[in-house]
Amino acid sequence: MLGTVRAFWNDQRGVAMILVAIMLPVIIGFALLVIDMSRANSLHNDLQKGADSFALAAAAELDGKSDAITRSDNALATLVFNTYRFAQPATGDPPGAKELEAAGVTRRYLRSIPADDSSPIVAANVVTDEENDADEAKFVEVTVTPIGFAAMFPASFVGSAVNGFNIGAVSVAGFKSAVCHFTPVFMCNPYELAPGGVTLQQAAADPNLRRRLIELRKVGNGAAAGPGNFGFLEPPQGIGNGAQALAQTIATSNPIGCYGNNNVTTKTGQNAGPVQDAFNVRFGIKTTGGHFNTPEYGPAANVRKGAKKTQGSANQCPSFNQLTFNLAGTMGLPRDRGQVTPRLGNGDWDLDTYWSTNFGTTVKPSAWATTKPTRYEAYRYEISAGLVGTASTGGERGTPPSQCQNPVTTVDRRLIYGAILNCQALSALGNDLSGHSENLPVESFASFFLTEPVLSASDDASVMVELVDIAAGGQGTLDNFVRDEPQLYR
């Protein structure tokens, strides 16, 4: 009997079955947990990809126009309607969020985002008045929330745990704009503190406002960086740091610099003399003898400026640097007869006298009888109507002198380009725009029409321009420069 008991005690047959029976629930539970984790991760990835797609589609419309939010909502709603089938309406949306007609997708528009991704988005970042402040929307936050995730692992057996949980996704995208082949110039927003609350975007959209003449002066040497001033951006690498190198970069018809809309760097303080020449080569002035004697520095197709050569031999290009302005019978595009601010005209320029002086009895477009054109529109009409070679009563023609460089026709040489900065706001934050400041946000990239030559080489010389267009402004003058693309930020 004792031997039988001892044999049974020492018998190990069937031990594996006992261990399997004991561990089987653990193995099955672990397998279910792995499957649940895989399912949850897959669902979250799908939701995040959806949220990212929705955010990018919405952000692509945030171009700073007054209808940006409307177009952004339409783009998002269309994408959601076609592809979103994840869940029922979401709950617990963050403040400022708006649910779309399709279930489970909310969005809110942001004027800014915290620099640190770990910092939460707060009320100051959110565009609350979407109807009136749509142009301030730079980012969109999209939240996707499904009904919930039902786990196979029986978590309810473990204390108060439940067998399901919610899986959602949040994505923040913004509209990124950059320009390439752009001149290294910045201009202080002339409408930053304009009377009547007129914005740069409104001015670009309204020809009556674009017609206002803007007087730019160079920032530096103690000059304040306020509306109506301009300065220089850091030139591309390899260009050089001297004033002459900067002037050549500004004067060329094929610049190589690229600048983003949120990280430009100023570099002001260079001598004004060569910079004056960089502007004036566009009028056929100083095209030789000043490092501007190659075809890329050629003049515009129309250089009418109210001046004639009065000295030097007619068959030598340098003689065309010897010009006399305001001679009888000559007239360049005139300045405004009134002011809105000391640097901003009222748009009332003397079209009739300019036209009769330069084109006599040639009939103007009938539309100009009711709506005065901008100077740039008049300039372009002279080219399209074949009036450039018409002599004024004093004998001036708009045709560049044949003794100098051939005119550049691949680009409009009377347009200058620049990054528009809200200089007063940036200065209030401690940025030194008269020197070196990095990673500055750009209000917009813009093109300006150079209405007359720069008549002085001093630092406070006036550069007279007329606003033509801003990025996505509709005039088309920046289409070959701007690279717009939405980008994910969170």
Side-chain angles (χ1 to χ4, degrees):
M1 182 66 180
L2 183 61
T4 302
V5 173
R6 185 180 295 114
F8 177 78
W9 182 260
N10 293 327
D11 191 352
Q12 297 184 6
R13 291 175 297 178
V15 171
M17 184 65 70
I18 296 173
L19 294 176
V20 169
I22 294 173
M23 294 300 298
L24 186 58
V26 177
I27 294 172
I28 294 175
F30 184 74
L32 293 176
L33 184 61
V34 170
I35 294 172
D36 282 341
M37 291 177 64
S38 176
R39 291 172 57 223
N41 184 64
S42 178
L43 177 58
H44 180 266
N45 286 340
D46 288 343
L47 290 176
Q48 191 62 57
K49 289 177 182 178
D52 291 346
S53 298
F54 300 150
L56 288 171
E61 304 296 334
L62 301 181
D63 55 6
K65 293 185 179 180
S66 59
D67 63 343
I69 287 181
T70 299
R71 288 184 284 106
S72 184
D73 274 350
N74 290 339
L76 181 55
T78 300
L79 187 63
V80 169
F81 179 80
N82 286 336
T83 66
Y84 183 69
R85 297 294 184 270
F86 294 133
Q88 297 299 318
T91 58
D93 299 324
K98 179 181 178 181
E99 186 175 332
L100 299 180
E101 293 181 1
V105 177
T106 61
R107 97 293 183 270
R108 58 178 178 172
Y109 292 97
L110 313 173
R111 55 170 50 88
S112 60
I113 56 176
D116 188 348
D117 285 350
S118 63
S119 299
I121 293 173
V122 298
N125 301 124
V126 180
V127 176
T128 54
D129 188 352
E130 295 183 357
E131 182 177 352
N132 297 314
D133 296 335
D135 58 332
E136 297 182 11
K138 306 297 183 184
F139 307 90
V140 60
E141 179 192 59
V142 173
T143 302
V144 176
T145 307
I147 295 176
F149 177 81
M152 293 188 296
F153 181 79
S156 57
F157 286 120
V158 184
S160 60
V162 296
N163 288 350
F165 51 89
N166 289 333
I167 297 178
V170 179
S171 183
V172 176
F175 186 81
K176 182 180 180 181
S177 181
V179 291
C180 287
H181 303 291
F182 214 68
T183 47
V185 174
F186 77 85
M187 299 176 186
C188 294
N189 184 358
Y191 289 94
E192 184 177 8
L193 297 176
V198 176
T199 67
L200 177 67
Q201 289 74 19
Q202 290 171 331
D206 186 347
N208 293 318
L209 298 177
R210 291 202 308 273
R211 200 168 57 229
R212 294 174 172 178
L213 194 65
I214 304 170
E215 181 181 3
L216 303 175
R217 291 185 182 175
K218 179 175 170 290
V219 175
N221 298 326
N229 287 338
F230 77 97
F232 309 117
L233 300 177
E234 190 167 57
Q237 292 184 350
I239 295 299
N241 295 320
Q244 186 61 55
L246 176 67
Q248 288 177 271
T249 305
I250 295 172
T252 180
S253 58
N254 186 31
I256 63 174
C258 289
Y259 301 95
N261 67 341
N262 58 357
N263 58 353
V264 298
T265 297
T266 61
K267 191 171 184 179
T268 303
Q270 288 84 355
N271 295 331
V275 176
Q276 175 204 23
D277 298 337
F279 288 125
N280 286 351
V281 293
R282 303 161 189 268
F283 290 91
I285 303 172
K286 199 76 173 184
T287 56
T288 61
H291 305 281
F292 302 118
N293 52 356
T294 54
E296 63 182 303
Y297 302 115
N302 183 357
V303 298
R304 195 180 299 272
K305 49 191 172 288
K308 288 183 62 180
K309 180 189 69 65
T310 58
Q311 302 179 41
S313 173
N315 60 2
Q316 295 180 359
C317 183
S319 66
F320 287 90
N321 302 331
Q322 311 294 325
L323 299 174
T324 300
F325 287 82
N326 299 320
L327 290 172
T330 65
M331 186 178 188
L333 289 164
R335 299 183 181 184
D336 288 347
R337 291 180 281 203
Q339 298 293 118
V340 175
T341 69
R343 300 289 182 83
L344 187 63
N346 64 355
D348 179 21
W349 65 283
D350 190 355
L351 170 64
D352 292 336
T353 303
Y354 170 78
W355 193 264
S356 62
T357 299
N358 291 292
F359 308 112
T361 59
T362 302
V363 177
K364 299 190 294 290
S366 58
W368 293 2
T370 54
T371 303
K372 182 179 293 186
T374 66
R375 295 169 184 81
Y376 182 65
E377 289 170 338
Y379 156 83
R380 294 301 306 175
Y381 180 79
E382 292 173 29
I383 297 174
S384 63
L387 299 176
V388 175
T390 301
S392 69
T393 55
E396 183 196 12
R397 302 176 189 271
T399 307
S402 59
Q403 294 84 356
C404 300
Q405 299 291 345
N406 291 327
V408 174
T409 57
T410 54
V411 296
D412 194 331
R413 292 284 282 153
R414 290 278 292 273
L415 292 183
I416 57 175
Y417 303 90
I420 305 299
L421 306 183
N422 287 327
C423 293
Q424 297 209 343
L426 292 172
S427 296
L429 295 175
N431 295 290
D432 179 17
L433 300 184
S434 62
H436 183 83
S437 290
E438 298 180 348
N439 297 323
L440 300 179
V442 176
E443 176 67 15
S444 184
F445 294 103
S447 59
F448 293 86
F449 175 56
L450 195 62
T451 64
E452 62 183 60
V454 182
L455 300 181
S456 171
S458 66
D459 280 323
D460 62 351
S462 294
V463 181
M464 309 304 296
V465 299
E466 189 180 73
L467 176 64
V468 175
D469 200 5
I470 62 174
Q475 304 304 312
T477 61
L478 293 166
D479 289 350
N480 293 331
F481 301 93
V482 178
R483 307 290 186 268
D484 290 333
E485 58 183 18
Q487 175 177 311
L488 290 173
Y489 288 88
R490 291 190 174 195

